[in-house]
Structures are given as structure tokens and as C-alpha cells.
Amino acid sequence: MRPEILNPLFCSIGTLKGVGARYLKLLSNLAEGDKIVHLLWHLPYNVVDRTYSCPLRNAQSGKIWTGIVRISAHLEPKSKKQPYRVVCGDATGDMILNFFKYYKDSLKKQLPIGAEKLISGKIQWFNGQIQMSHPDYVADPSFENTIKAVEPIYPLCAGVSNKMMISLARQALSKIPDMPEWLDERFLQEKNWPSFKEALYFLHHPQSTADFSMMSPQRLRLAYDELLANQLTLSIARLHHKKEAGRSIEGNGHLRKKLSDSLGFELTGAQKKVLEDIIKDQKSKYQGLRLVQGDVGCGKTVVAMMAMLNAVEAGFQAAIMAPTEILAKQHMETISAWADIVGIKAGLLTSKIKGKKRAEILEKLKNGEIDILIGTHALFTDEVIFKDLAFIVVDEQHRFGVEQRRKLSLKGNKPDIVVMTATPIPRTIVLTRFGDMDYSKIDELPKGRKPVETAVMPLSKIDSVTEAVMRKIKGGARVYWVCPLIEESEKSDLAAAIKRFEDLQKIFGADVGLVHGKMKESEKDAVMEKFKTGEIKILVATTVIEVGVNVKEATLMVIEQAERFGLAQLHQLRGRIKRGFEAGFCVLLYAQNLSETAYERLKTMKESEDGFFLAEKDLDLRGGGEILGTKQSGFEEFKIADLAFHKNLLLTAHKDAEMILNLDSSLQSQRGQALKNLLYLFEQDEAFLTYKA
Ligand code: ADP
Ligand code: MG
């Protein structure tokens, strides 16, 4: 239950003065929430200084001027194109107020001839005449002191004025209760940070643009609060998993030995270490939930297989879930071959497998004939019943949210879960998005991997690129040609990809295929299959080829409009041509008029093949949502904190959260109670309630 003290902040915005039903809707959209607390996070981003005031005659063009004038005349326009003009002035000169949109009657009422009015707006000298178009304020002179000030500017939408936002923000601030401090007093003093309330008050009352610094004590204080709430929640979830009784899985190693004897290679040190981490999770009595990160080609599949074999040795079943049909099939090829070697049975289940065949697989799963099941998310529908599932691998689905992971963990009989991803995820993002999981990294590639050479070129050189493509396919290689389709809704991107396909068809004829995100899954699979078998040699693709597909003959990749991709994404794409026996070659084509920084960014691709390095760079340059490719899909970003500035705060908050929960895992102490307010303020309450440590 939400602490009572917070109730005033969790009333509807509709209870504030001046908010009717229509406004409530607009404001809820704007503030991304309909409670008063959401207005607190809706911060101004600029200021208008209305302190500038001088005799009119001296007023400078372009400045915001505020002062008292007397109205002397109304000049009605002779044609519709002309503005309605009101003449006013002070002792030193006249000013013309222009109104392009107006109601004559209300202007006459608002600015009656002979009256004194307080006016504020932008001065413009025009033909030796002082003018002001649509003043920001027309008020009674008695308001002089309130208006002649520095005023915050809020993000707005049609129908909500800045004046209204200012009034609402003030009302919201006045509802903040006096809450006990949740940060450690000594820490607070050391940092010289203000209280939560003071900090918010400051951010809503900026005096100059300097006050928007991401490093001001007030901003830091609130960013820390937000990050601490995030880290506490994830740590609570993690502790919860650790306490959740699972099963101890401990095989005798005979299957693993058989497999490693016939692999033809030895696991790298990093693979061994990560496998040990997983095996330790499996052995423990508690439910394991681990993120395994490893660059493209580092050999995650064999690690997954060994861990699954451990479960099978112990008499249980295991499952591996791939994001697409084609990846599931690819895993099936690899894994069933390994299964044959060690003498166990693997099965494939996707939505495409229907009728008798499906019934048969489901039956074998239920009676335990199938030891390892491979499939897409269709694996975990209700009709799929395992005899005894003890271990799940989720491959290449880092977009899986905390909630989805939690649901998965309820499947079967408390299975251990490993989530594998080739996306190089920077540490900060691991902490904020995956902090509920344990974490291992395969930070080493098998020996003898050929590097990929990368070139950066303008699109105008496309002819020499197609010549290179020609040479390559004559030599028996296959080629990826990637066009961006960043957002599903971008029709022009799709059109551009199709156009490129048609242009290449004119040169290469039936050797070219096209695959894009708007195609049906089955159509995509068919084209990919043709590319795998070599029926087509050039594959024009939008980013759908991003994850996991293996085509060993593909050694050249052309990426168009490379500047629109994130570095981490480019790195992953490039990984597709790193699987073969030959060194790969990657051409990044950019559009004309590329900025210097954008060009520099592409050049880092030339200089580094280290996914983690590139991801960190990307994070600094573009922010976290870009790396996971989730900016559009509604993955939360922080409200106050910005990891480009507050990375260190996050690391501290992480340690702080661990320490707090070590001492007081259910937040019962005095500070714990105060911290509960923090969790509820940042609406981490749901997680808290579900997991309640
Ligand atoms: P990813 O981590 O990208 O999923 P895969 O598991 O598909 O990579 O492995 C890529 C290739 O490397 C496979 O052909 C696999 O058999 C091979 N491989 C994996 N581990 C090793 C190793 N230790 N030594 C040599 N080759 C390996
Ligand atoms: Mg893989």
C-alpha cells in the first residue's frame, strides 16, 4: 500500500485549480501520467527573462520588454491581410501592437482607449517604429511584480499555455509533503545536495539557462533519487529470485564429455568461465536468472548446449527459445547434430509445425522422449506441457522486459533461466535494465577469427561498390546489401529499399533477393533459405537480418545510409560477415552532406571491432534507447536522470541499493520506511509489491 503521506501527490491532476475534463486529457498526455506527481517531473527547459524594462524609446529590437503603457488608438485593418493594430506608449514614445489573429470585440474590451496596461513581449523596430506582435502578457499594472521576473518555459502542446503550466507546477509543488530524508545524511552533506523538495522547487524556478545544468546539485540530487529507486527495485527483484526455491540440477558430466570429445575445438577460457557460472546457478537450490553477453561469433550456442546437457544428465528437460522461425531452425540443425552425437533427442516446435507432426512432438515432450526443445516463443503457450522442464535458454531477446522474465520464470517447475545476447550492452544499461539478473560476459573470441575490414564512402561512389559486388559473387561469395528501415512506419524507407532492389536487379538479374520487415514470416524465411543455399547471391535487406543468421559464404556487406544506425547496431550487422572462412569486407555508405561528427562516428567503425567499446561510444553519443533499438517501443527512459551525465551516480546508487538491502532486505528500518516513499514516488511500487522482499 502506498504510504498515506504521499496521497496529495497521487490525486488526479483534475483536482487542481483551472483543470477541467478537456485539460485533464491534454495534461495527462503531456506529463505522461494523470497524477499530480507527474507534473513534478514535467520540468521547464528554458527561461524567459522579463526583467528587461526601460523607457520605450530606448528599448532594443529583439528583446523581451515588460512595462506599463497607455492605450491611445485602435486602427482597424483595411484588408484581411493586414493586422489589427493598437497604438500605445509611454512618456518617451509610441509602440504599435500587431494582432494577426484576433477578435475585435475582445481586443476592444482588453485594451480600452485611455487605459494603462502592463505589456510584455518581444520588441521589434520596424521603419523607425517600435512594434510588438501578439504580446505575451496584457495585464493590469498591479501585476507588475509577478510578471517582471524570470519565467520558466515548459514543454507544451496545443491547447496548454505556458502560463497554465506555470500555475499548475506551482500548485503541484505546494502539495509535496514533508517526508523524512531517505538518503544517508552523511552522504548528503558530503555531496552538499539539497532536500528532495528543495531540489524540485529549484528546477521549477530556473533563473537563467545555467540552472538547467545536468550537474547542478539539485539535478544531481533528483537524478540520484531516481536511479536509487530503479536500483533498489531491481535488487529487490534479484533478491527475490535468489530466495525463490528452485531445484538443484547436477549432472554427472557423461553427455558433456561425449560432446566435447567430438567438438573438434576446445572451449575458450571465457566460454568455460561462463559455463561454470551457469552450472553453479543450476546446482544451487534457488532459481537462477542470468544474462550472458557475448559478441557475435564468440560461441554462445555451445555454452548453451553444455548447460542444457547438464540438465539432461540430471534427468530433466531443457528448452531454447529463439526470436524467429529461421533462427530456431538454425539452432535445430546445430543442436540436433550434437544431440545425435551424445545420443539424446532434440525437437523443434514453431507455429509453422502443425497437425499430426505437432501432436507428435507435444506427446513426446509430455512423456519425456524429447530432452531438448527448440523453438520460438510458441514454446511457452499453454498447450506445450513438459514432463519436467528445468532449464531455459532465451537466445537473442534482450528486449525481454523485467515483467516477461518474471512470467517465464513461473513456467515449468521453477526452471533456471539464461538470457543470451550478442548486443554489446554497456555496464550502465546492464544495471538499469537487467539489474534483476546475474550477469556473465564471454569476452573472448575463438582463436583464428578473421577480421572484417571496413570502408566508409559517400553514396556517390556506388558504382565502384557494385563493381566490387560483381567481382565477389563471381568468386563465389555472397553479399548482404542493407538498407535502413528504422521505424516500421517509415514508408519512404521501405520504398527506398525496394528501389535499390530493383536497381540491383537490373544489373544482377535473378541473383538478387529482397527481404524486409513488412513481409510475412514465411516469405522472409523463403528468401533467407534461398540466400543460404546460394540460389540468390545478393540479399537486399532491411535490418531484419540483424540477429544470429549464419551464412558462411557471405563475406561482403554494404550498408546504405550507415549514419542512421547506431554503432552497436552496425557492429552487429557487420558480425554477419564474420562467420565465414574468409576475411569479411564491410562498406558503409553515407548520404551527402554528412556532418563532421557523424563522419567521425562512422570512422570509429573502421578503427574498432570491439563491440563493447563501440557500445560505450554509442551510449555517450546517442543514449541508451538507441543501443537496444527500443527508443520507439516505449522502453522507459529516466525522467530526471540522464546516463550521459550521471553514469557515476548510477554506479553509486547500485552499491547503495545493495548495501541497504543487505542490512534491511524488507525495508523495515527507519531509513527503509523513508525509502519506501521514494519507491512509491517513482512508481516502482508494482515491482515492490510483486516481489516484496
Ligand atoms: P554466437 O555467440 O554468435 O551465437 P555461435 O554459437 O553461433 O556464436 O558460434 C559461432 C561459431 O563458432 C560456430 O561455428 C561454433 O561452432 C564456433 N565455435 C564456438 N566456440 C568455439 C571455440 N571455442 N573454438 C572454435 N570455434 C568455436
Ligand atoms: Mg547465437
Side-chain angles (χ1 to χ4, degrees), residues 130 358 442 473 572 622 659 688:
I130 305 173
R358 187 178 190 85
I442 307 183
I473 62 173
Q572 270 211 304
R622 293 162 52 116
M659 212 165 65
F688 184 64

Side-chain angles (χ1 to χ4, degrees), residues 300-301 331 395-396 548 579:
K300 291 185 288 298
T301 320
H331 275 321
D395 192 31
E396 304 292 3
R579 315 214 135 213

Side-chain angles (χ1 to χ4, degrees), residues 297-466:
C298 71
K300 291 185 288 298
T301 320
V302 71
V303 172
M305 183 67 187
M306 288 293 185
M308 291 195 286
L309 287 180
N310 184 28
V312 177
E313 285 163 13
F316 303 117
Q317 288 165 303
I320 179 164
M321 174 162 80
T324 63
E325 195 93 27
I326 189 150
L327 281 171
K329 264 197 267 171
Q330 189 172 291
H331 275 321
M332 182 62 187
E333 279 166 30
T334 319
I335 290 172
S336 63
W338 284 335
D340 286 347
I341 291 172
V342 303
I344 61 166
K345 189 155 176 53
L348 176 70
L349 190 70
T350 68
S351 51
K352 253 201 200 158
I353 294 166
K354 294 197 176 94
K356 236 176 104 184
K357 213 166 155 203
R358 187 178 190 85
E360 198 181 316
I361 290 171
L362 289 176
E363 180 53 36
K364 285 184 177 166
L365 205 57
K366 210 165 156 183
N367 67 26
E369 266 180 75
I370 290 179
D371 302 293
I372 295 178
L373 186 65
I374 298 149
T376 50
H377 49 267
L379 278 189
F380 298 106
T381 49
D382 288 338
E383 63 162 347
V384 183
I385 299 163
F386 290 83
K387 180 167 180 241
D388 199 353
L389 176 68
F391 182 60
I392 303 175
V393 179
V394 180
D395 192 31
E396 304 292 3
Q397 313 212 38
H398 54 271
R399 290 175 199 193
F400 241 51
V402 176
E403 186 49 30
Q404 283 160 305
R405 296 197 282 273
R406 201 179 63 84
K407 281 211 179 110
L408 197 57
S409 71
L410 300 175
K411 277 277 164 191
N413 194 357
K414 300 277 159 60
D416 287 309
I417 300 173
V418 165
V419 176
M420 298 189 146
T421 179
T423 305
I425 308 171
R427 166 135 172 92
T428 44
I429 300 189
V430 169
L431 285 180
T432 55
R433 303 270 164 86
F434 305 96
D436 59 326
M437 311 171 84
D438 289 310
Y439 169 71
S440 306
K441 181 161 145 184
I442 307 183
D443 51 5
E444 182 184 353
L445 290 178
K447 280 200 200 70
R449 283 288 150 83
K450 301 274 190 326
V452 176
E453 198 178 320
T454 301
V456 181
M457 287 185 201
L459 184 62
S460 56
K461 296 234 174 101
I462 191 165
D463 286 346
S464 62
V465 175
T466 44

Side-chain angles (χ1 to χ4, degrees), residues 265-268 271 296-301 446 449 552 579:
F265 56 76
E266 204 187 330
L267 296 191
T268 61
Q271 281 172 315
V296 182
C298 71
K300 291 185 288 298
T301 320
R449 283 288 150 83
K552 283 205 186 330
R579 315 214 135 213

Side-chain angles (χ1 to χ4, degrees), residues 642-660:
D642 181 338
L643 293 180
F645 297 90
H646 303 141
K647 223 191 248 186
N648 287 335
L649 288 187
L650 174 67
L651 301 180
T652 314
H654 176 67
K655 279 192 218 131
D656 203 3
E658 301 268 288
M659 212 165 65
I660 290 165

Side-chain angles (χ1 to χ4, degrees), residues 53-307:
S53 191
C54 61
L56 260 182
R57 192 180 50 200
N58 302 337
Q60 281 172 31
S61 198
K63 282 225 163 196
I64 305 281
W65 180 90
T66 306
I68 295 165
V69 293
R70 187 178 293 280
I71 313 299
S72 55
H74 278 230
L75 307 173
E76 294 194 22
K78 296 202 181 70
S79 81
K80 274 205 162 160
K81 278 186 194 149
Q82 287 176 335
Y84 188 100
R85 293 180 297 166
V86 175
V87 185
C88 61
D90 67 3
T92 67
D94 278 351
M95 169 161 72
I96 293 179
L97 308 176
N98 294 312
F99 296 90
F100 292 89
K101 277 186 186 166
Y102 57 90
Y103 291 105
K104 201 161 66 180
D105 291 346
S106 72
L107 280 180
K108 285 195 161 145
K109 218 163 114 191
Q110 202 186 9
L111 297 160
I113 292 172
E116 282 204 324
K117 288 285 170 186
L118 176 68
I119 304 276
S120 183
K122 194 190 238 171
I123 293 279
Q124 266 156 342
W125 279 90
F126 195 70
N127 285 341
Q129 173 74 59
I130 305 173
Q131 310 209 358
M132 185 184 284
S133 297
H134 292 273
D136 302 334
Y137 282 95
V138 174
D140 191 89
S142 62
F143 284 99
E144 189 166 2
N145 288 336
T146 29
I147 290 179
K148 252 198 206 167
V150 178
E151 181 177 277
I153 311 248
Y154 286 91
L156 300 172
C157 65
V160 176
S161 72
N162 197 52
K163 262 185 258 187
M164 174 149 193
M165 273 315 303
I166 292 175
S167 147
L168 293 172
R170 308 257 143 115
Q171 293 183 58
L173 285 169
S174 73
K175 307 269 181 197
I176 302 178
D178 283 319
M179 293 171 280
E181 180 57 66
W182 49 72
L183 293 187
D184 182 63
E185 288 292 348
R186 275 232 315 272
F187 176 71
L188 207 56
Q189 265 169 25
E190 219 172 84
K191 295 277 183 191
N192 215 353
W193 287 346
S195 71
F196 173 80
K197 198 172 176 174
E198 284 167 331
L200 260 178
Y201 188 89
F202 177 90
L203 292 187
H204 280 282
H205 291 83
Q207 293 304 303
S208 74
T209 47
D211 289 346
F212 296 108
S213 163
M214 294 307 272
M215 303 309 274
S216 72
Q218 293 83 359
R219 173 68 71 160
L220 292 175
R221 155 83 215 219
L222 292 174
Y224 191 77
D225 283 343
E226 185 173 28
L227 294 169
L228 182 61
N230 167 276
Q231 289 302 296
L232 268 177
T233 306
L234 290 170
S235 296
I236 288 170
R238 196 155 152 256
L239 273 181
H240 175 85
H241 284 302
K242 301 226 149 192
K243 283 191 184 165
E244 194 68 2
R247 280 184 297 183
S248 179
I249 305 171
E250 195 172 11
N252 61 11
H254 73 286
L255 297 175
R256 279 171 281 164
K257 172 150 193 326
K258 259 194 211 164
L259 181 61
S260 56
D261 285 349
S262 63
L263 270 180
F265 56 76
E266 204 187 330
L267 296 191
T268 61
Q271 281 172 315
K272 282 184 193 158
K273 201 200 119 278
V274 170
L275 184 57
E276 259 169 42
D277 289 345
I278 300 172
I279 286 174
K280 221 183 271 165
D281 290 348
Q282 291 176 321
K283 189 177 170 189
S284 100
K285 289 200 303 276
Y286 305 108
Q287 191 173 21
L289 181 59
R290 181 173 296 273
L291 176 68
V292 170
Q293 203 183 357
D295 217 340
V296 182
C298 71
K300 291 185 288 298
T301 320
V302 71
V303 172
M305 183 67 187
M306 288 293 185

